[in-house]
Amino acid sequence: MELVGFTFFVLATLNFLTVSSRPAGVHLRNMESFIHAVQQVEDSYPGLSALALVRALRRTAGHDDPMTIHFLGASYNLSDTEGLEGSILNATSFSFFDKAIHHIVTDHGEERGVVLAPDGTTVALAPLLLGIESGLKAKMEGTEALGIFPLTLGRPLGLSFLSLQDIPPSLRLGPNGCWDNVEQPRVFKLSRPATLATDAVINGGMDGVILGLHLSRLPASEQPQALSEILRGYYNFTLTENQGIDNVTTQISPRRRELSRSLLEPLDLHSAVMTTLALVWKLEKTEWIAQDTGLGKAVQDGLQTFTHKYLDCPPIIPRCQWGAKANRDTPIPLSLPLQFLYVHHTYEPSSPCLSFSSCSRNMRSMQRFHQDDRGWNDIGYSFVVGSDGYIYEGTGWNHVGRHTRGHNSIGYGVSIIGNYTATLPSRHAMDLLRHKLALCAVNGGVLTANFTIQGHRQVVNYTSCPGDALFSEIRSWEHFRE
């Protein structure tokens, strides 16, 4: 194989991920485009291993920092990347490094090195690819993948906790942001100033942990798939009503938080992050880490926030991501914490939504109905639960909705998309509401610990919402009150 030519081909086929200043052409930054580019390389070089390809991508992007070299080796010294040295030191490869895989946040709040996944979440490529490479290397060598956590989550989390000690722990991670256009994503802008561990970095880190550990634990007799197939299996999937998320046994991105919890819980996260920071200090001669007497407390506080925000709380698709229109008036703030959680079903749309695109369409349809037909200022629900593995933000945690007449200011109104008169939502959708959203609200201080769950019909006498089947189900839930 001509590896110099191979590297130029990688640059050419992945260059569409850049946010180019040239008007011609569409330079999309989504996971489907990235996977397609990877497959083009694989098709042109039959027999190319996933490990060789991911190493070449690292070499192309210039990700040979001391910690990566410590765990994975220098890409230019690895046998399957020989010949790459002279081919990446040029303006084209630097542009690719800067805009395709290399993670940066500009002064204008644009986050680069991230892609939009089909499930509506945003993923940083660098920690994802490092996790995959670490897992593939361990599989090939028959060793434990020791570098997966430090390379994917440990370093960004630890440095974010440590560098932002002068701000509240709740602001030391994140934020999320929104794309200029989810159909043709080109620019991703953050909602507030970035930390070193934005939501996209944490998503990519979680995915790197999940896929890396899976690959490292493959049976000796089983060879890893091609890189495009590894990514496609995790990000590109189709759910059906007959085989919804409840019946999915493979690893898919909507399950990233529950999968991450199962993999991270056995770890002593505090010790793992502290060990990672000690290694950063040793490898990078970062004296300020060694001199920080409050390091342990900063990591402890930061991990509490991480656990609450990214493991306890459900994944919530923000308004701007599903295409919400603005509230037609000034939103009224809630007086928190609230005492009630009111359960609804949408009735119309009557079918569960099983993908980001269909759930987003449902959200826009409901908002149009509420604003145009009913004359309300916004979508009425506080949150809406899809059957795609995600919750969608309505009026949110802090503003009064219009969901339960006479009770809007004392409780959250949460609806599950679909008609549940005769059938139940998926178990996963109900768990998102019953366990994840409720726990998130209580731990976040916006819902009292002794909150009450009620069905819409219990407090508004002219409705059968949330449907006979769903109402019968919620009567068995803890916190339900007649």
Side-chain angles (χ1 to χ4, degrees):
M1 180 187 300
E2 281 287 340
L3 283 171
V4 173
F6 162 58
T7 302
F8 280 123
F9 188 78
V10 171
L11 288 170
T13 55
L14 293 177
N15 193 51
F16 64 86
L17 281 172
T18 64
V19 182
S20 175
S21 59
R22 294 172 295 175
V26 177
H27 301 272
L28 303 183
R29 293 204 291 164
N30 54 33
M31 187 62 76
E32 296 101 316
S33 298
F34 181 74
I35 293 172
H36 178 70
V38 168
Q39 187 170 5
Q40 282 187 308
V41 176
E42 293 165 343
D43 290 345
S44 298
Y45 293 88
L48 178 69
S49 73
L51 181 58
L53 177 50
V54 79
R55 281 173 169 170
L57 290 175
R58 172 159 64 95
R59 177 59 175 144
T60 302
H63 286 167
D64 268 2
D65 57 84
M67 181 171 283
T68 303
I69 292 173
H70 174 78
F71 285 111
L72 301 178
S75 61
Y76 47 82
N77 286 336
L78 297 169
S79 59
D80 54 3
T81 59
E82 289 178 358
L84 296 178
E85 294 88 342
S87 66
I88 67 168
L89 303 177
N90 54 65
T92 302
S93 63
F94 180 80
S95 176
F96 172 77
F97 169 84
D98 182 45
K99 297 175 181 176
I101 299 177
H102 178 54
H103 183 266
I104 61 169
V105 178
T106 70
D107 292 341
H108 302 292
E110 178 189 340
E111 188 172 16
R112 298 178 180 173
V114 300
V115 294
L116 176 64
D119 63 1
T121 60
T122 302
V123 176
L125 289 172
L128 165 67
L129 295 175
L130 287 173
I132 290 173
E133 182 180 350
S134 184
L136 290 168
K137 178 176 181 290
K139 160 65 176 170
M140 180 190 73
E141 297 175 352
T143 59
E144 188 177 353
L146 297 176
I148 287 183
F149 179 77
L151 291 171
T152 56
L153 287 173
R155 189 177 190 276
L157 288 178
L159 292 178
S160 191
F161 300 155
L162 190 56
S163 62
L164 299 172
Q165 290 185 65
D166 56 337
I167 68 171
S170 62
L171 297 178
R172 294 179 198 171
L173 296 175
N176 203 347
C178 274
W179 290 91
D180 55 337
N181 185 316
V182 296
E183 300 297 328
Q184 297 185 334
R186 304 183 194 184
V187 178
F188 185 73
K189 296 202 72 172
L190 296 170
S191 60
R192 60 173 171 83
T195 71
L196 295 176
T198 63
D199 280 17
V201 168
I202 292 174
N203 286 339
M206 286 181 169
D207 293 347
V209 168
I210 292 164
L211 293 174
L213 286 176
H214 170 71
L215 292 166
S216 73
R217 296 168 179 174
L218 288 175
S221 59
E222 184 177 343
Q223 292 302 308
Q225 295 175 298
L227 180 59
S228 62
E229 291 304 310
I230 293 170
L231 296 172
R232 185 174 287 114
Y234 185 75
Y235 293 105
N236 290 5
F237 50 86
T238 301
L239 299 176
T240 65
E241 281 196 59
N242 293 331
Q243 191 177 18
I245 199 168
D246 288 351
N247 300 316
V248 174
T249 57
T250 56
Q251 296 168 323
I252 58 174
S253 55
R255 290 189 176 273
R256 117 177 356 106
R257 295 195 180 195
E258 60 194 88
L259 291 169
S260 295
R261 176 184 284 279
S262 69
L263 295 171
L264 296 177
E265 274 189 338
L267 298 178
D268 178 347
L269 281 180
H270 187 272
S271 176
V273 173
M274 293 290 285
T275 301
T276 301
L277 288 174
L279 187 60
V280 172
W281 171 36
K282 176 182 177 182
L283 296 174
E284 301 180 14
K285 311 302 180 186
T286 314
E287 293 296 333
W288 59 277
I289 294 179
Q291 297 168 358
D292 196 308
T293 57
L295 176 58
K297 180 67 162 57
V299 170
Q300 180 181 2
D301 292 345
L303 284 173
Q304 287 178 351
T305 299
F306 170 75
T307 299
H308 166 70
K309 186 175 180 180
Y310 298 99
L311 298 182
D312 292 342
C313 287
I316 297 175
I317 302 293
R319 289 171 59 91
C320 56
Q321 199 78 333
W322 59 260
K325 293 182 180 179
N327 189 306
R328 291 178 174 174
D329 201 349
T330 302
I332 301 172
L334 287 163
S335 179
L336 301 172
L338 304 184
Q339 176 63 47
F340 293 91
L341 195 159
Y342 300 111
V343 178
H344 300 247
H345 70 164
T346 61
Y347 190 74
E348 290 290 344
S350 60
S351 298
C353 66
L354 297 161
S355 68
F356 167 67
S357 58
S358 64
C359 293
S360 296
R361 283 195 302 270
N362 288 170
M363 293 297 292
R364 293 191 295 270
S365 174
M366 284 186 282
Q367 187 184 42
R368 281 194 301 270
F369 175 69
H370 289 173
Q371 287 184 323
D372 298 342
D373 291 26
R374 292 192 168 177
W376 299 349
N377 293 325
D378 202 349
I379 190 170
Y381 304 119
S382 306
F383 296 95
V384 178
V385 183
S387 293
D388 62 336
Y390 291 93
I391 291 178
Y392 289 74
E393 181 186 21
T395 53
W397 295 119
N398 298 310
H399 298 120
V400 176
R402 195 158 181 175
H403 46 79
T404 312
R405 180 175 292 181
H407 298 74
N408 294 318
S409 63
I410 62 172
Y412 292 112
V414 182
S415 190
I416 303 180
I417 292 178
N419 177 355
Y420 300 108
T421 301
T423 61
L424 284 174
S426 69
R427 178 58 54 187
H428 192 273
M430 290 190 291
D431 285 348
L432 283 176
L433 167 54
R434 177 184 181 181
H435 299 300
K436 291 292 187 178
L437 190 70
L439 177 65
C440 180
V442 171
N443 289 347
V446 298
L447 194 64
T448 61
N450 63 339
F451 71 95
T452 295
I453 287 180
Q454 291 185 314
H456 186 194
R457 65 172 68 181
Q458 290 177 263
V459 290
V460 177
N461 59 17
Y462 59 80
T463 181
S464 61
C465 178
D468 292 346
L470 181 53
F471 183 64
S472 178
E473 167 69 19
I474 70 171
R475 293 179 73 172
S476 67
W477 294 2
E478 60 275 25
H479 294 281
F480 177 84
R481 299 291 183 273
E482 292 288 358

